[in-house]
Amino acid sequence: MTTLSIPQARKLALHCQGLPTTKKQGTAYCQTLNVFKQLGYVQIDTISVVQRAHHHTLWSRNPRYQPAHLDALVANKEVFEYWSHAAAYLPMSEYRYTLPRKQALKTGQQKHWYNKDQTLMDEILRRIDNEGPLMAKDFDSKRTHKQGWGSKPTKQALECLFMQGELMISERKNFHKVYQLTEKVLPDQLDTSQPTAEEYGQFLVMRYLRSHGFGNLAEMTYLLKHVKLLASNALNTLIEDNKVERINVAGSEFFACTQSLELLDKRLNRKQAKVLSPFDNLLIQRKRAQNIFNFEYLLECYVPEAKRQYGYFCLPILWEGTLVARADCKVDNKASCLNVMRLFVETSVKDRDAFMEALGKELENFANFNQCLSYAIESVSWK
């Protein structure tokens, strides 16, 4: 069994996550598509005190990323919206692996968070078939009372149809979803065959390991229902085929792609600072981030203000191959300034001058990405 030190484990995870960034050939648009292929998904979020999470995550790996890339990728049918562990954009090439969840929701093996109103769902399908793509606001539901999560019956029906695969999101207008019949969104020649249980299990394992470098069964099946047995069986097969191997990290057993372990010989740019989104793929599993990077992180926008330790929307900061700081940031559009209200730096950072210099370059780039002319750090704490 291969044994990795914590620094080696961090290095492997970062290389597989495309962090920090390296110069790559090809157009900026193609690089953005390659990020999707590398990560497998990019989580969508609505908070906009800085650029929204999906744009931020893509920019963190492609410095030439432009928000227009995402609209173009959707329009060109190269990525699509669905659910990973949360709402996300996914590469269209992996569309067929969303079908098991859709089938389970459609047949009742899994439950929607909304109750199905089949009559209303059928009415919606007929309207979209006749009129073309529609948004939730285009439906004047006679049943206007709100239910469940506080949305109208038509919105709930649209989401049921979306989750079970009969509708897709063809585009967004001012961040509002536009729904279209699935067959009119999918590209020609796309493989839409239902994967076998073995194929699906192996996909879940290999997709996670290629994107994260290594992982255990709980991490590979994070927030996915009824797939642990599939993934466990797939692991056994992949180990027998020498595609995956067991590794030891700090006394715990993990699994890694045999091919990915070669990345340990590749140089990592440790002197580049990266400001990450709270929803970044690298640390969305908080327990993993704490175990591997010794970084305890909580997104405090959901915490009452009086109980916040770091701020409303603190962004994790990567430097020297690990997570070392948090920056509570907010864009001031009127002043065209990225404000860092509070910067908290771990005491593990020994060369403070080098860190602040690297962070300054990153904040300048991040401000520009947020369409700001400048940035300002209001306070710094070393903890």
Side-chain angles (χ1 to χ4, degrees), residues 153-168:
T154 48
K155 174 62 175 175
Q156 294 187 17
L158 283 163
E159 284 298 296
C160 284
L161 289 165
F162 167 70
M163 286 300 296
Q164 67 186 36
E166 291 171 84
L167 293 178
M168 291 181 70

Side-chain angles (χ1 to χ4, degrees), residues 49-50 275 278 297 299-301 305 308-317 325-331 338-344 363 366 376-379:
V49 292
V50 295
V275 175
Y297 180 76
L299 179 58
E300 296 183 326
C301 60
E305 185 173 0
R308 290 175 192 153
Q309 184 179 3
Y310 298 110
Y312 179 80
F313 203 64
C314 254
L315 309 180
I317 298 172
R326 302 162 176 82
D328 187 23
C329 296
K330 185 176 182 179
V331 168
L338 172 70
N339 289 322
V340 182
M341 284 86 72
R342 285 158 291 190
L343 174 65
F344 301 88
L363 287 173
F366 190 53
I377 301 176
E378 297 178 13
S379 72

Side-chain angles (χ1 to χ4, degrees), residues 26-38:
T27 66
Y29 176 89
C30 289
Q31 284 186 34
T32 300
L33 179 57
N34 287 337
V35 172
F36 278 102
K37 293 177 180 178
Q38 182 166 22

Side-chain angles (χ1 to χ4, degrees), residues 7 9-22 56 59-61 268-278 280-283 289 292-295 297 314-327 343-346 348-349 354-363:
R10 291 172 179 172
K11 181 180 183 180
L12 180 59
L14 290 170
H15 274 314
C16 288
Q17 279 286 298
L19 292 168
T21 55
T22 57
H56 187 169
W59 174 83
S60 292
R61 291 156 177 82
L268 186 72
N269 183 357
R270 299 179 182 276
K271 298 304 179 183
Q272 182 186 102
K274 292 301 297 182
V275 175
L276 303 178
S277 166
D280 193 278
N281 300 46
L282 181 70
L283 76 162
I292 302 303
F293 293 97
N294 192 28
F295 192 78
Y297 180 76
C314 254
L315 309 180
I317 298 172
L318 177 73
W319 189 65
E320 288 213 319
T322 191
L323 296 162
V324 299
R326 302 162 176 82
L343 174 65
F344 301 88
V345 189
E346 305 280 319
S348 59
V349 175
F355 169 72
M356 292 303 294
E357 182 181 353
L359 180 60
K361 292 177 182 177
E362 172 70 356
L363 287 173

Side-chain angles (χ1 to χ4, degrees), residues 11 16 31 53 60 88 109 118 132 159 169 178 189 196 235 242 255 265 293 315 346-347 371 375:
K11 181 180 183 180
C16 288
Q31 284 186 34
S60 292
Q109 292 173 286
Q118 195 59 54
E159 284 298 296
I169 310 304
V178 179
Q189 312 305 318
T196 65
L235 270 172
N242 296 317
F255 301 89
D265 297 325
F293 293 97
L315 309 180
E346 305 280 319
T347 54
Q371 298 182 318
Y375 73 90

Side-chain angles (χ1 to χ4, degrees), residues 190-224:
L190 182 70
D191 185 356
T192 59
S193 62
Q194 183 89 8
T196 65
E198 182 179 10
E199 286 178 320
Y200 186 44
Q202 291 196 21
F203 168 79
L204 292 175
V205 170
M206 294 300 287
R207 164 40 73 200
Y208 186 87
L209 295 182
R210 285 172 177 158
S211 300
H212 293 274
F214 63 95
N216 57 35
L217 188 62
E219 291 168 348
M220 295 175 209
T221 58
Y222 177 66
L223 294 184
L224 299 177

Side-chain angles (χ1 to χ4, degrees), residues 91-333:
M92 188 67 80
S93 58
E94 296 178 3
Y95 170 82
R96 66 189 292 253
Y97 296 104
T98 65
L99 296 177
R101 184 201 293 261
K102 290 171 179 174
Q103 182 68 15
L105 287 167
K106 190 169 185 178
T107 60
Q109 292 173 286
Q110 287 188 34
K111 288 191 175 181
H112 289 273
W113 45 82
Y114 297 135
N115 293 323
K116 291 186 184 181
D117 182 336
Q118 195 59 54
T119 300
L120 183 55
M121 290 162 66
D122 290 342
E123 290 174 7
I124 286 171
L125 287 174
R126 281 194 293 271
R127 272 200 63 185
I128 294 177
D129 188 26
N130 291 332
E131 300 176 35
L134 296 172
M135 293 186 282
K137 70 180 184 65
D138 295 319
F139 294 89
D140 182 18
S141 176
K142 295 177 181 178
R143 288 159 279 185
T144 56
H145 63 281
K146 294 184 178 181
Q147 302 172 347
W149 293 73
S151 57
K152 293 181 179 179
T154 48
K155 174 62 175 175
Q156 294 187 17
L158 283 163
E159 284 298 296
C160 284
L161 289 165
F162 167 70
M163 286 300 296
Q164 67 186 36
E166 291 171 84
L167 293 178
M168 291 181 70
I169 310 304
S170 60
E171 62 177 319
R172 282 184 181 245
K173 294 182 178 179
N174 297 321
F175 206 60
H176 295 291
K177 296 176 181 177
V178 179
Y179 298 87
Q180 173 61 296
L181 298 178
T182 292
E183 59 267 26
K184 295 185 179 180
V185 175
L186 295 178
D188 296 336
Q189 312 305 318
L190 182 70
D191 185 356
T192 59
S193 62
Q194 183 89 8
T196 65
E198 182 179 10
E199 286 178 320
Y200 186 44
Q202 291 196 21
F203 168 79
L204 292 175
V205 170
M206 294 300 287
R207 164 40 73 200
Y208 186 87
L209 295 182
R210 285 172 177 158
S211 300
H212 293 274
F214 63 95
N216 57 35
L217 188 62
E219 291 168 348
M220 295 175 209
T221 58
Y222 177 66
L223 294 184
L224 299 177
K225 295 181 179 180
H226 314 305
V227 298
K228 280 194 174 180
L229 182 59
L230 288 178
S232 179
N233 291 338
L235 270 172
N236 293 332
T237 300
L238 291 164
I239 290 169
E240 289 175 5
D241 293 342
N242 296 317
K243 294 180 180 178
V244 168
E245 62 182 82
R246 291 182 172 86
I247 64 171
N248 182 294
V249 179
S252 297
E253 184 182 74
F254 290 91
F255 301 89
C257 293
T258 302
Q259 190 174 12
S260 295
L261 291 172
E262 297 173 5
L263 292 170
L264 291 169
D265 297 325
K266 184 180 177 182
R267 179 182 172 273
L268 186 72
N269 183 357
R270 299 179 182 276
K271 298 304 179 183
Q272 182 186 102
K274 292 301 297 182
V275 175
L276 303 178
S277 166
F279 301 98
D280 193 278
N281 300 46
L282 181 70
L283 76 162
I284 197 63
Q285 294 193 40
R286 309 301 193 208
K287 182 179 178 182
R288 175 182 169 94
Q290 185 170 356
N291 290 341
I292 302 303
F293 293 97
N294 192 28
F295 192 78
E296 187 175 351
Y297 180 76
L298 174 67
L299 179 58
E300 296 183 326
C301 60
Y302 304 116
V303 175
E305 185 173 0
K307 295 184 178 180
R308 290 175 192 153
Q309 184 179 3
Y310 298 110
Y312 179 80
F313 203 64
C314 254
L315 309 180
I317 298 172
L318 177 73
W319 189 65
E320 288 213 319
T322 191
L323 296 162
V324 299
R326 302 162 176 82
D328 187 23
C329 296
K330 185 176 182 179
V331 168
D332 182 340
N333 289 311

